[in-house]
Each structure stands twice: as structure tokens, then as C-alpha cells.
Coordinates of all heavy atoms in Angstrom, one line a residue:
M1 N 7.3 -2.5 5.9 CA 7.2 -1.1 5.7 C 6.0 -0.8 4.7 O 5.7 -1.6 4.0 CB 8.5 -0.6 5.2 CG 9.0 -0.9 3.8 SD 10.6 -0.3 3.4 CE 11.7 -1.1 4.5
S2 N 5.6 0.4 4.8 CA 4.5 0.7 3.9 C 5.0 1.0 2.5 O 6.3 1.2 2.4 CB 3.8 1.9 4.5 OG 3.7 3.1 3.7
L3 N 4.2 1.1 1.6 CA 4.6 1.4 0.2 C 4.4 2.9 0.0 O 3.7 3.6 0.7 CB 3.7 0.6 -0.8 CG 3.9 -0.9 -0.6 CD1 2.8 -1.6 -1.5 CD2 5.2 -1.4 -1.0
I4 N 5.0 3.4 -1.1 CA 4.9 4.8 -1.5 C 4.7 4.8 -3.0 O 5.2 4.0 -3.7 CB 6.1 5.6 -1.0 CG1 5.9 7.1 -1.2 CG2 7.4 5.1 -1.7 CD1 6.9 7.9 -0.5
I5 N 3.9 5.8 -3.4 CA 3.8 6.0 -4.9 C 4.7 7.2 -5.3 O 4.6 8.3 -4.7 CB 2.3 6.3 -5.3 CG1 1.5 5.1 -4.9 CG2 2.2 6.6 -6.7 CD1 0.0 5.2 -5.1
T6 N 5.6 7.0 -6.3 CA 6.5 8.0 -6.7 C 5.9 8.9 -7.7 O 4.8 8.7 -8.2 CB 7.8 7.4 -7.3 OG1 7.4 6.8 -8.5 CG2 8.4 6.4 -6.3
D7 N 6.6 10.0 -8.0 CA 6.1 10.9 -9.0 C 6.1 10.4 -10.4 O 5.7 11.1 -11.3 CB 6.8 12.3 -8.9 CG 8.3 12.1 -9.1 OD1 8.8 11.1 -9.5 OD2 9.0 13.2 -9.0
E8 N 6.5 9.2 -10.6 CA 6.4 8.6 -11.9 C 5.0 8.1 -12.2 O 4.6 7.6 -13.3 CB 7.4 7.3 -12.1 CG 8.8 7.8 -12.0 CD 9.8 6.6 -11.8 OE1 9.4 5.5 -11.4 OE2 10.9 6.8 -12.0
C9 N 4.1 8.2 -11.2 CA 2.7 7.8 -11.3 C 2.0 8.5 -12.5 O 2.2 9.7 -12.7 CB 1.9 8.1 -10.0 SG 0.2 7.8 -10.1
I10 N 1.3 7.8 -13.3 CA 0.6 8.4 -14.5 C -0.9 8.5 -14.2 O -1.7 8.8 -15.2 CB 0.8 7.5 -15.7 CG1 0.4 6.1 -15.5 CG2 2.4 7.6 -16.1 CD1 0.4 5.2 -16.8
N11 N -1.4 8.3 -13.0 CA -2.8 8.5 -12.6 C -3.7 7.6 -13.4 O -4.8 8.0 -13.8 CB -3.2 10.0 -12.8 CG -2.6 10.8 -11.7 OD1 -2.6 10.5 -10.5 ND2 -2.0 12.0 -12.2
C12 N -3.3 6.4 -13.6 CA -4.1 5.5 -14.4 C -5.3 4.9 -13.6 O -6.1 4.3 -14.2 CB -3.2 4.3 -15.0 SG -2.5 3.3 -13.7
D13 N -5.2 5.0 -12.3 CA -6.3 4.5 -11.4 C -6.5 3.0 -11.3 O -7.5 2.6 -10.9 CB -7.7 5.2 -11.9 CG -8.8 5.0 -11.0 OD1 -8.6 5.1 -9.8 OD2 -10.0 4.7 -11.4
V14 N -5.5 2.3 -11.6 CA -5.6 0.8 -11.5 C -5.3 0.3 -10.1 O -5.7 -0.7 -9.7 CB -4.8 0.0 -12.5 CG1 -5.3 0.3 -13.9 CG2 -3.4 0.2 -12.4
C15 N -4.5 1.1 -9.4 CA -4.0 0.7 -8.0 C -5.1 0.8 -7.0 O -5.3 0.0 -6.1 CB -2.8 1.4 -7.6 SG -2.9 3.2 -7.5
E16 N -5.8 2.0 -7.0 CA -6.8 2.3 -6.0 C -7.8 1.2 -5.7 O -8.0 0.8 -4.5 CB -7.5 3.6 -6.3 CG -8.4 4.0 -5.2 CD -9.1 5.3 -5.5 OE1 -9.2 5.7 -6.7 OE2 -9.6 6.0 -4.5
P17 N -8.5 0.7 -6.7 CA -9.5 -0.4 -6.4 C -8.9 -1.7 -5.9 O -9.6 -2.6 -5.3 CB -10.3 -0.5 -7.7 CG -9.4 0.0 -8.7 CD -8.5 1.1 -8.1
E18 N -7.6 -1.9 -6.2 CA -6.9 -3.2 -5.8 C -6.5 -3.2 -4.3 O -6.3 -4.3 -3.8 CB -5.7 -3.4 -6.6 CG -5.9 -3.6 -8.1 CD -6.8 -4.8 -8.4 OE1 -6.6 -5.9 -7.7 OE2 -7.7 -4.7 -9.2
C19 N -6.5 -2.1 -3.7 CA -6.1 -2.1 -2.2 C -7.2 -2.6 -1.3 O -8.2 -1.9 -1.2 CB -5.6 -0.6 -1.8 SG -5.0 -0.5 -0.1
P20 N -6.9 -3.7 -0.6 CA -7.9 -4.2 0.3 C -8.1 -3.4 1.6 O -9.1 -3.5 2.3 CB -7.4 -5.6 0.7 CG -5.9 -5.5 0.5 CD -5.7 -4.5 -0.6
N21 N -7.2 -2.5 1.9 CA -7.3 -1.6 3.1 C -7.7 -0.2 2.8 O -7.8 0.6 3.7 CB -6.0 -1.6 3.8 CG -5.5 -3.0 4.3 OD1 -6.3 -3.7 4.7 ND2 -4.2 -3.2 4.2
E22 N -8.1 0.1 1.5 CA -8.5 1.4 1.0 C -7.4 2.5 1.5 O -7.7 3.6 1.9 CB -9.8 1.8 1.6 CG -10.9 0.8 1.1 CD -12.3 1.1 1.6 OE1 -12.5 2.0 2.5 OE2 -13.3 0.5 1.1
A23 N -6.1 2.1 1.3 CA -5.1 3.0 1.7 C -4.6 3.9 0.6 O -3.9 4.9 0.8 CB -3.8 2.2 2.1
I24 N -5.1 3.7 -0.6 CA -4.7 4.5 -1.8 C -5.8 5.4 -2.2 O -7.0 5.0 -2.2 CB -4.4 3.5 -3.0 CG1 -3.2 2.6 -2.6 CG2 -4.0 4.4 -4.2 CD1 -2.9 1.6 -3.7
S25 N -5.4 6.7 -2.4 CA -6.4 7.7 -2.8 C -5.8 8.7 -3.8 O -4.6 8.8 -3.8 CB -7.0 8.4 -1.6 OG -6.0 9.1 -0.9
Q26 N -6.6 9.4 -4.5 CA -6.1 10.5 -5.4 C -5.6 11.7 -4.5 O -6.3 12.2 -3.7 CB -7.2 10.9 -6.3 CG -6.8 12.0 -7.3 CD -5.7 11.6 -8.3 OE1 -5.9 10.6 -8.9 NE2 -4.7 12.4 -8.4
G27 N -4.3 11.9 -4.7 CA -3.7 13.1 -4.1 C -3.9 14.4 -5.0 O -4.6 14.4 -5.9
D28 N -3.1 15.4 -4.7 CA -3.2 16.6 -5.4 C -2.8 16.4 -6.8 O -3.3 17.0 -7.8 CB -2.4 17.8 -4.7 CG -3.0 18.2 -3.4 OD1 -4.2 18.1 -3.2 OD2 -2.2 18.8 -2.6
E29 N -1.7 15.7 -7.0 CA -1.1 15.5 -8.4 C -1.1 14.0 -8.8 O -1.2 13.8 -10.0 CB 0.3 16.1 -8.5 CG 0.3 17.6 -8.3 CD 1.6 18.2 -8.4 OE1 2.5 17.7 -9.1 OE2 1.8 19.3 -7.8
I30 N -0.8 13.2 -7.8 CA -0.7 11.7 -8.1 C -1.4 11.0 -7.0 O -1.8 11.6 -6.0 CB 0.7 11.3 -8.2 CG1 1.5 11.5 -6.9 CG2 1.5 11.9 -9.4 CD1 2.9 10.9 -6.8
Y31 N -1.6 9.7 -7.2 CA -2.2 8.8 -6.2 C -1.2 8.8 -5.0 O 0.0 8.9 -5.2 CB -2.5 7.4 -6.7 CG -3.8 7.4 -7.4 CD1 -3.9 7.8 -8.8 CD2 -5.0 7.1 -6.8 CE1 -5.1 7.8 -9.4 CE2 -6.2 7.1 -7.5 CZ -6.3 7.5 -8.7 OH -7.5 7.5 -9.4
V32 N -1.8 8.6 -3.8 CA -1.0 8.5 -2.5 C -1.4 7.4 -1.7 O -2.5 6.9 -1.9 CB -1.1 9.8 -1.7 CG1 -0.5 11.0 -2.5 CG2 -2.5 10.1 -1.4
I33 N -0.5 6.9 -0.9 CA -0.8 5.8 0.0 C -0.8 6.3 1.5 O 0.2 6.9 1.9 CB 0.2 4.6 -0.2 CG1 0.1 4.0 -1.6 CG2 0.0 3.6 0.9 CD1 1.1 3.0 -1.9
E34 N -1.8 6.0 2.2 CA -1.9 6.3 3.6 C -1.1 5.3 4.4 O -1.5 4.2 4.5 CB -3.3 6.4 4.1 CG -3.5 6.6 5.6 CD -2.8 7.8 6.1 OE1 -3.0 8.9 5.6 OE2 -2.1 7.6 7.1
P35 N 0.1 5.7 5.0 CA 0.9 4.6 5.6 C 0.2 3.9 6.7 O 0.5 2.8 7.0 CB 2.1 5.5 6.1 CG 2.1 6.8 5.4 CD 0.6 7.0 5.0
S36 N -0.6 4.6 7.5 CA -1.3 3.9 8.6 C -2.3 2.8 8.2 O -2.7 2.0 9.0 CB -2.0 4.9 9.5 OG -3.1 5.5 8.8
K37 N -2.6 2.8 6.9 CA -3.5 1.8 6.3 C -2.8 0.7 5.5 O -3.4 -0.3 5.2 CB -4.6 2.4 5.5 CG -5.6 3.2 6.3 CD -6.7 3.8 5.4 CE -7.8 4.5 6.2 NZ -8.8 5.0 5.3
C38 N -1.6 1.0 5.1 CA -0.9 0.1 4.2 C -0.2 -1.0 5.0 O 0.6 -0.8 5.9 CB 0.2 0.8 3.4 SG 1.1 -0.2 2.3
T39 N -0.6 -2.3 4.6 CA 0.0 -3.4 5.2 C 0.8 -4.3 4.2 O 1.1 -5.4 4.5 CB -1.1 -4.4 5.8 OG1 -2.0 -4.9 4.8 CG2 -1.8 -3.7 6.9
E40 N 1.1 -3.7 3.0 CA 1.7 -4.4 1.9 C 0.9 -5.6 1.5 O 1.4 -6.7 1.1 CB 3.1 -4.7 2.2 CG 4.1 -3.6 2.4 CD 5.4 -4.0 2.8 OE1 5.9 -5.0 2.2 OE2 6.0 -3.4 3.7
C41 N -0.4 -5.6 1.9 CA -1.4 -6.7 1.6 C -1.2 -7.8 2.5 O -1.8 -8.9 2.4 CB -1.4 -7.1 0.2 SG -2.2 -5.9 -0.9
V42 N -0.3 -7.8 3.6 CA -0.1 -8.8 4.6 C -1.5 -9.0 5.2 O -2.2 -8.1 5.5 CB 0.9 -8.4 5.6 CG1 0.9 -9.3 6.8 CG2 2.3 -8.4 5.0
G43 N -1.9 -10.3 5.3 CA -3.2 -10.7 5.8 C -4.2 -10.9 4.8 O -5.2 -11.6 5.0
H44 N -4.0 -10.3 3.6 CA -4.9 -10.4 2.5 C -4.4 -11.2 1.3 O -5.0 -12.1 0.9 CB -5.3 -9.0 1.9 CG -6.1 -8.1 2.9 ND1 -7.4 -8.3 3.1 CD2 -5.6 -7.1 3.6 CE1 -7.8 -7.4 4.0 NE2 -6.7 -6.6 4.3
F45 N -3.2 -10.9 0.9 CA -2.6 -11.5 -0.3 C -1.1 -11.8 0.0 O -0.5 -11.2 0.9 CB -2.7 -10.6 -1.5 CG -4.1 -10.3 -1.9 CD1 -4.6 -9.0 -1.5 CD2 -4.9 -11.2 -2.5 CE1 -6.0 -8.7 -1.9 CE2 -6.2 -10.9 -2.8 CZ -6.8 -9.7 -2.5
D46 N -0.5 -12.6 -0.9 CA 1.0 -12.9 -0.7 C 1.9 -11.7 -1.2 O 3.0 -11.7 -0.7 CB 1.3 -14.1 -1.4 CG 0.7 -15.4 -0.9 OD1 0.4 -15.4 0.3 OD2 0.5 -16.4 -1.6
E47 N 1.3 -10.9 -2.0 CA 2.1 -9.8 -2.6 C 1.3 -8.5 -2.7 O 0.0 -8.7 -2.8 CB 2.6 -10.1 -4.0 CG 3.6 -11.3 -4.1 CD 4.0 -11.6 -5.5 OE1 3.6 -11.0 -6.5 OE2 4.8 -12.5 -5.6
P48 N 1.8 -7.4 -2.5 CA 1.1 -6.2 -2.7 C 0.4 -6.0 -4.0 O 1.0 -6.1 -5.1 CB 2.1 -5.1 -2.6 CG 3.3 -5.7 -1.8 CD 3.3 -7.1 -2.3
Q49 N -0.9 -6.0 -4.0 CA -1.7 -6.0 -5.2 C -1.5 -4.7 -6.1 O -1.5 -4.8 -7.3 CB -3.2 -6.1 -4.9 CG -3.5 -7.5 -4.2 CD -3.1 -8.7 -5.0 OE1 -3.7 -9.0 -6.0 NE2 -2.0 -9.3 -4.6
C50 N -1.3 -3.6 -5.4 CA -1.0 -2.4 -6.2 C 0.2 -2.5 -7.0 O 0.3 -2.1 -8.2 CB -1.0 -1.1 -5.3 SG 0.3 -1.2 -4.0
Q51 N 1.3 -3.1 -6.5 CA 2.5 -3.3 -7.2 C 2.2 -4.2 -8.5 O 2.8 -4.0 -9.5 CB 3.6 -3.9 -6.4 CG 4.2 -2.9 -5.4 CD 5.3 -3.5 -4.6 OE1 5.3 -4.7 -4.3 NE2 6.2 -2.7 -4.2
Q52 N 1.4 -5.2 -8.2 CA 1.1 -6.2 -9.3 C 0.5 -5.5 -10.5 O 0.7 -6.0 -11.6 CB 0.3 -7.3 -8.7 CG 0.9 -8.1 -7.7 CD 2.3 -8.7 -8.1 OE1 2.3 -9.5 -9.1 NE2 3.3 -8.5 -7.3
V53 N -0.4 -4.6 -10.3 CA -1.2 -4.0 -11.4 C -0.6 -2.7 -12.0 O -1.0 -2.2 -13.0 CB -2.7 -3.7 -11.0 CG1 -3.3 -5.0 -10.7 CG2 -2.8 -2.7 -9.9
C54 N 0.4 -2.1 -11.3 CA 1.0 -0.9 -11.7 C 1.7 -1.0 -13.0 O 2.7 -1.7 -13.1 CB 1.9 -0.2 -10.6 SG 2.6 1.3 -11.1
P55 N 1.3 -0.3 -14.1 CA 1.9 -0.4 -15.4 C 3.3 0.3 -15.5 O 4.1 0.0 -16.4 CB 1.0 0.2 -16.4 CG 0.2 1.2 -15.5 CD 0.1 0.6 -14.1
V56 N 3.6 1.2 -14.5 CA 4.9 1.9 -14.7 C 5.8 1.6 -13.5 O 6.9 2.2 -13.4 CB 4.6 3.5 -14.8 CG1 4.0 3.8 -16.1 CG2 3.9 4.0 -13.6
D57 N 5.5 0.7 -12.7 CA 6.3 0.3 -11.6 C 6.7 1.4 -10.7 O 8.0 1.6 -10.5 CB 7.5 -0.5 -12.2 CG 8.3 -1.3 -11.1 OD1 7.7 -1.7 -10.1 OD2 9.6 -1.4 -11.3
C58 N 5.8 2.2 -10.2 CA 6.1 3.4 -9.4 C 5.7 3.2 -8.0 O 5.4 4.2 -7.2 CB 5.5 4.6 -10.0 SG 3.7 4.7 -9.9
I59 N 5.6 2.0 -7.4 CA 5.2 1.8 -6.1 C 6.2 1.0 -5.3 O 6.0 -0.3 -5.0 CB 3.8 1.1 -6.0 CG1 2.8 1.8 -6.9 CG2 3.3 1.1 -4.5 CD1 1.4 1.2 -7.0
P60 N 7.3 1.6 -4.9 CA 8.3 0.9 -4.1 C 8.0 0.9 -2.6 O 7.1 1.6 -2.2 CB 9.6 1.7 -4.4 CG 9.1 3.1 -4.5 CD 7.7 2.9 -5.2
L61 N 8.9 0.2 -1.9 CA 8.8 0.2 -0.4 C 9.2 1.6 0.0 O 10.1 2.3 -0.6 CB 9.7 -0.8 0.2 CG 9.3 -2.2 0.0 CD1 10.4 -3.2 0.5 CD2 8.0 -2.6 0.7
D62 N 8.5 2.2 1.0 CA 8.9 3.5 1.6 C 10.1 3.3 2.6 O 9.9 2.8 3.6 CB 7.7 4.1 2.3 CG 8.0 5.5 2.8 OD1 9.2 5.9 2.8 OD2 7.0 6.2 3.1
P63 N 11.3 3.8 2.2 CA 12.4 3.6 3.1 C 12.3 4.3 4.4 O 13.1 4.0 5.3 CB 13.6 4.1 2.2 CG 13.0 5.1 1.3 CD 11.6 4.5 1.0
N64 N 11.4 5.3 4.5 CA 11.3 6.0 5.8 C 10.3 5.4 6.7 O 10.0 5.9 7.8 CB 10.8 7.5 5.4 CG 11.8 8.2 4.6 OD1 13.0 8.1 4.9 ND2 11.4 8.9 3.6
R65 N 9.7 4.2 6.3 CA 8.6 3.6 7.1 C 8.9 2.1 7.2 O 8.1 1.3 6.7 CB 7.2 3.9 6.6 CG 6.9 5.3 6.6 CD 5.4 5.6 6.2 NE 5.1 6.9 6.1 CZ 4.8 7.7 7.2 NH1 4.9 7.2 8.3 NH2 4.5 9.0 7.0
K66 N 10.0 1.7 7.8 CA 10.3 0.3 7.9 C 9.5 -0.4 8.9 O 9.3 0.1 10.1 CB 11.8 0.2 8.2 CG 12.7 0.7 7.2 CD 14.2 0.5 7.5 CE 14.9 1.1 6.4 NZ 16.1 0.4 6.0
E67 N 8.8 -1.5 8.5 CA 8.0 -2.3 9.4 C 8.3 -3.8 9.1 O 8.6 -4.2 8.0 CB 6.5 -2.1 9.1 CG 6.1 -0.7 9.5 CD 4.6 -0.4 9.1 OE1 4.4 -0.3 7.8 OE2 3.7 -0.4 9.9
T68 N 8.3 -4.6 10.2 CA 8.5 -6.0 10.1 C 7.2 -6.7 9.6 O 6.1 -6.1 9.7 CB 8.9 -6.6 11.4 OG1 7.8 -6.5 12.3 CG2 10.2 -5.9 12.0
E69 N 7.3 -7.9 9.3 CA 6.2 -8.7 8.8 C 5.2 -8.8 10.0 O 4.0 -8.8 9.8 CB 6.6 -10.1 8.4 CG 5.6 -11.0 7.9 CD 5.3 -10.8 6.4 OE1 6.1 -10.2 5.7 OE2 4.3 -11.3 6.0
E70 N 5.7 -8.9 11.2 CA 4.8 -9.0 12.4 C 4.1 -7.7 12.6 O 2.9 -7.7 13.0 CB 5.7 -9.3 13.6 CG 6.3 -10.7 13.7 CD 7.5 -10.9 12.8 OE1 8.2 -9.9 12.5 OE2 7.7 -12.0 12.3
Q71 N 4.8 -6.5 12.4 CA 4.2 -5.3 12.6 C 3.1 -5.0 11.5 O 2.0 -4.5 11.8 CB 5.1 -4.1 12.5 CG 6.1 -4.0 13.6 CD 7.2 -3.1 13.5 OE1 7.9 -3.1 12.4 NE2 7.4 -2.2 14.4
L72 N 3.3 -5.5 10.3 CA 2.3 -5.4 9.2 C 1.1 -6.3 9.6 O 0.0 -5.9 9.4 CB 2.9 -5.8 7.9 CG 4.0 -4.9 7.3 CD1 4.7 -5.5 6.2 CD2 3.4 -3.5 7.0
M73 N 1.3 -7.5 10.1 CA 0.2 -8.3 10.5 C -0.6 -7.7 11.7 O -1.8 -7.7 11.6 CB 0.8 -9.7 10.9 CG -0.4 -10.7 11.3 SD -1.7 -10.9 10.1 CE -0.9 -12.1 9.0
E74 N 0.1 -7.1 12.6 CA -0.6 -6.4 13.7 C -1.4 -5.3 13.2 O -2.6 -5.1 13.6 CB 0.4 -5.9 14.7 CG -0.3 -5.3 15.9 CD 0.7 -5.0 17.0 OE1 1.7 -5.6 17.2 OE2 0.5 -4.0 17.8
K75 N -0.9 -4.6 12.2 CA -1.7 -3.5 11.6 C -2.9 -4.0 10.9 O -4.0 -3.5 11.0 CB -0.8 -2.6 10.6 CG -1.4 -1.4 10.1 CD -0.7 -0.7 9.0 CE 0.8 -0.4 9.3 NZ 1.4 0.4 8.2
Y76 N -2.7 -5.1 10.1 CA -3.8 -5.8 9.4 C -4.9 -6.2 10.4 O -6.1 -5.9 10.2 CB -3.3 -7.0 8.7 CG -4.4 -8.0 8.3 CD1 -5.3 -7.7 7.3 CD2 -4.5 -9.2 9.0 CE1 -6.3 -8.6 7.0 CE2 -5.5 -10.1 8.8 CZ -6.4 -9.8 7.7 OH -7.4 -10.7 7.4
L77 N -4.5 -6.8 11.6 CA -5.5 -7.3 12.5 C -6.2 -6.1 13.2 O -7.4 -6.2 13.4 CB -4.8 -8.1 13.6 CG -4.2 -9.4 13.2 CD1 -3.4 -10.1 14.3 CD2 -5.3 -10.3 12.7
T78 N -5.5 -5.0 13.4 CA -6.2 -3.8 13.9 C -7.2 -3.2 12.9 O -8.3 -2.8 13.3 CB -5.1 -2.7 14.3 OG1 -4.3 -3.3 15.3 CG2 -5.7 -1.4 14.8
L79 N -6.7 -3.1 11.7 CA -7.6 -2.5 10.6 C -8.9 -3.4 10.4 O -9.9 -2.8 10.1 CB -6.8 -2.3 9.3 CG -5.8 -1.3 9.3 CD1 -4.9 -1.4 8.0 CD2 -6.4 0.1 9.3
T80 N -8.7 -4.6 10.6 CA -9.9 -5.5 10.3 C -10.7 -5.8 11.5 O -11.6 -6.6 11.5 CB -9.4 -6.9 9.6 OG1 -8.5 -7.5 10.5 CG2 -8.8 -6.6 8.3
G81 N -10.4 -5.2 12.6 CA -11.1 -5.4 13.9 C -10.9 -6.7 14.6 O -11.6 -7.1 15.4
Q82 N -9.8 -7.4 14.2 CA -9.5 -8.7 14.8 C -8.5 -8.6 16.1 O -8.1 -9.5 16.6 CB -8.9 -9.6 13.8 CG -9.8 -9.9 12.6 CD -9.2 -10.8 11.6 OE1 -8.7 -11.8 11.9 NE2 -9.3 -10.4 10.3
L83 N -8.1 -7.4 16.3 CA -7.2 -7.2 17.5 C -7.7 -6.3 18.5 O -8.5 -5.4 18.3 CB -5.9 -6.6 17.0 CG -4.7 -6.5 18.0 CD1 -4.3 -7.9 18.4 CD2 -3.6 -5.8 17.4

């Protein structure tokens, strides 16, 4: 499933440059994640990099966007032009 940034975000800007898929951007009030680009770093890293650097732990899994490991890998392959 894709990740989501909650309203606990403090706009520190550390997550955006860590995303290998460029799925994170500045929203109206807080940073947001584009679900169609979020692979939870599958294909790039073992763990979501944005979660690793977030100082306030405000990037949980989005319960409304459940995806399997296989679906995340397929999304990664599509985004990187390998599919």
C-alpha cells in the first residue's frame, strides 16, 4: 500500500529528497504523497526512506490503498520503464 503523510507533518522538508520515485511534494499545508508513484521504496530500498528520515513519525501506511509486495514491484517496474 502506499504511504500517507498525516497532519502531524512539520514541513521539515527531509522526506521529499529521499523519495526515489519523486512521489512526495509540498501540498497546500503539509507535504503529500502521490499514491500512483509511491512504491514504499520497493525496488529501490529495503525500507521506505521517507519513514526513515521523518523526525516526527508522521508517514504511516495508507489504510485506504492496500497493495501487495507484487503490486508495489509492478508499480516500480512501470515507473522505471522496465515493464
Side-chain angles (χ1 to χ4, degrees):
M1 69 183 64
S2 120
L3 301 169
I4 189 169
I5 298 176
T6 67
D7 60 4
E8 295 169 344
C9 175
I10 59 171
N11 291 311
C12 66
D13 192 39
V14 297
C15 61
E16 183 181 22
E18 294 300 319
C19 181
N21 297 321
E22 298 180 352
I24 300 173
S25 63
Q26 178 64 51
D28 291 337
E29 295 182 24
I30 61 173
Y31 278 84
V32 295
I33 296 177
E34 172 57 48
S36 66
K37 292 182 176 181
C38 180
T39 63
E40 295 178 44
C41 289
V42 167
H44 294 284
F45 301 102
D46 293 334
E47 296 180 356
Q49 298 301 289
C50 58
Q51 286 180 330
Q52 298 300 308
V53 298
C54 181
V56 293
D57 196 28
C58 69
I59 310 175
L61 293 172
D62 184 346
N64 298 318
R65 299 188 183 277
K66 296 183 183 217
E67 294 173 286
T68 65
E69 186 85 12
E70 291 79 23
Q71 289 171 312
L72 292 169
M73 180 56 80
E74 185 174 327
K75 190 189 305 184
Y76 160 76
L77 293 172
T78 300
L79 288 169
T80 59
Q82 299 179 49
L83 187 64

